[in-house]
Amino acid sequence: MAETTASRVSGPLPSPPERSPRSLSTGRARRRYRTVVAVLTVLAAGFGFGLLVWDNPMPPGSDGFWRIAELRGTNLVVMAVVAICQAVATVSFQTVTGNRIITPSIMGFEALYVVIQTTAVYFLGVAGLVAVQGVTQFTLQLAVMVGFAMLLYGWLLSGRYANLQIMLLIGIIIGGGLASVSTFMQRLLTPSEFDVLAARLFGNVSNADASYLPVAIPLCLTASVLLWASSRRLDVVALGRDASTGLGLNHRRETMRVLFLVSVLMAVSTALVGPMTFLGFLVATLAYQFADSHDHRHVFPVAVLTCFVVLSGAYFVMRNIFYANGVVSIIIELVGGLVFLFVILRKGRL
């Protein structure tokens, strides 16, 4: 009786707040989202400006000053391309796979990149790295990576036993096999050859060549715009195969289309700067927390801004404070790996 009276007086207990799949339905949610975007934009602009002008040895306004700023500007463009590719690809891949703890790198893109670089050095020596550089070779690497991915997708997502989980498992196995082949060849290299190769196997903005950008930028923007334009359909795909099919969406066709665009983005990022395994996972996890929504129209911009802030901020701090520009990708991978373990071991929702 006492419990009945208390429930009539106090009413039902409020449920814990949850992220809404709707598009920022309250004014408070919209204000919070705008604040997050504004803060990330300011941070991105601040780190970008700092990378351009900080510690520039030439007098401000001189020809030398602008030449150095132009060279640094190329690195900023590369960071922007990588940020767009990694953020959009990871968010889209996690949506179609229905899993928030995996990244597109699980499909063997980075292992294939390592095999290409290692094979060149194994058969041609140090000159092999020169042989795989150039716009034509860059385009060929993109074609090989995308072709490999689509062959895998087409084989495993069609036919009688089409299964996304089996595709992921086979992708892991193929990636592990390619990594083993690379390790075998690396052990047969001379110390000098291995030392030169190792510098190419870490994700680094300095690996990118400005001549690659006329190819990389259009591919990056086209694939990203197409995925952003598909935000509504991705929201439906996130409901699951049965629900999306019941709502009239061709789930398999949409999945294949998204995976193709994801493979293009990941191929561009990996061929441009090298492997960055946990960068996408890190920024996708942070983006969902910052956006506080599952609407892809709002998650995509936050993910891209977060990725650029992480990349540019890490490079700025490590380059100008610790003078260790070469270890930036290692630090990002370390932080991303720790976040990955935290998410795996954490109880409750993401």
Side-chain angles (χ1 to χ4, degrees):
M1 187 68 171
E3 291 182 358
T4 304
T5 303
S7 63
R8 288 176 180 173
V9 173
S10 60
L13 293 176
S15 58
E18 295 184 356
R19 286 192 289 274
S20 172
R22 293 178 294 176
S23 178
L24 305 177
S25 56
T26 65
R28 180 180 179 182
R30 289 191 290 271
R31 287 192 299 271
R32 181 186 181 279
Y33 180 82
R34 286 194 292 266
T35 301
V36 168
V37 171
V39 170
L40 289 174
T41 302
V42 170
L43 288 175
F47 285 129
F49 181 77
L51 286 173
L52 286 176
V53 304
W54 188 275
D55 201 25
N56 192 321
M58 303 302 291
S62 64
D63 291 339
F65 178 89
W66 290 116
R67 285 199 186 98
I68 294 175
E70 183 179 355
L71 292 174
R72 295 180 177 182
T74 301
N75 288 339
L76 280 180
V77 174
V78 172
M79 290 183 197
V81 171
V82 172
I84 294 172
C85 289
Q86 291 279 344
V88 175
T90 304
V91 171
S92 302
F93 188 77
Q94 290 180 348
T95 296
V96 296
T97 57
N99 194 316
R100 292 273 299 280
I101 62 172
I102 61 176
T103 65
S105 60
I106 200 174
M107 300 309 300
F109 291 101
E110 296 173 356
L112 187 59
Y113 170 85
V114 172
V115 165
I116 294 173
Q117 301 292 322
T118 305
T119 302
V121 176
Y122 179 79
F123 286 106
L124 302 176
V126 176
L129 289 180
V130 179
V132 296
Q133 293 179 0
V135 177
T136 302
Q137 293 85 336
F138 175 75
T139 306
L140 182 60
Q141 287 188 60
L142 293 179
V144 170
M145 291 181 183
V146 174
F148 168 78
M150 294 315 299
L151 181 64
L152 188 63
Y153 298 154
W155 171 44
L156 295 175
L157 291 181
S158 61
R160 182 179 177 183
Y161 301 104
N163 190 297
L164 196 60
Q165 284 69 37
I166 293 177
M167 182 196 74
L168 297 176
L169 291 174
I170 292 181
I172 295 173
I173 294 171
I174 293 176
L178 293 176
S180 298
V181 172
S182 300
T183 302
F184 173 75
M185 289 190 290
Q186 289 168 15
R187 289 186 176 275
L188 299 179
L189 299 177
T190 64
S192 59
E193 291 173 340
F194 179 79
D195 193 34
V196 174
L197 174 64
R200 296 285 303 178
L201 300 185
F202 287 106
N204 198 328
V205 172
S206 61
N207 288 341
D209 192 317
S211 62
Y212 300 165
L213 294 177
V215 176
I217 292 176
L219 289 174
C220 170
L221 293 180
T222 301
S224 300
V225 169
L226 288 175
L227 286 172
W228 185 84
S230 304
S231 295
R232 293 296 192 188
R233 291 197 295 272
L234 285 172
D235 293 340
V236 177
V237 170
L239 298 176
R241 183 185 184 91
D242 295 336
S244 59
T245 301
L247 291 173
L249 184 70
N250 188 326
H251 186 274
R252 180 184 174 277
R253 185 176 64 185
E254 186 65 22
T255 298
M256 288 291 294
R257 194 180 71 87
V258 171
L259 290 176
F260 170 73
L261 295 175
V262 167
S263 66
V264 171
L265 292 174
M266 288 303 299
V268 168
S269 175
T270 305
L272 193 62
V273 300
M276 286 191 172
T277 305
F278 288 109
L279 176 62
F281 169 81
L282 174 64
V283 300
T285 302
L286 293 176
Y288 278 110
Q289 300 297 324
F290 293 160
D292 201 29
S293 171
H294 293 292
D295 190 332
H296 288 79
R297 291 181 305 162
H298 297 101
V299 175
F300 279 145
V302 173
V304 171
L305 286 172
T306 302
C307 194
F308 185 80
V309 168
V310 169
L311 271 178
S312 59
Y315 269 85
F316 180 82
V317 171
M318 299 305 295
R319 178 177 181 175
N320 298 297
I321 297 179
F322 296 103
Y323 303 100
N325 189 34
V327 302
V328 170
S329 60
I330 301 175
I331 299 300
I332 292 175
E333 296 299 300
L334 174 63
V335 174
L338 292 176
V339 172
F340 178 81
L341 292 176
F342 173 76
V343 172
I344 289 292
L345 298 175
R346 181 184 178 185
K347 293 182 180 179
R349 68 181 179 90
L350 292 173

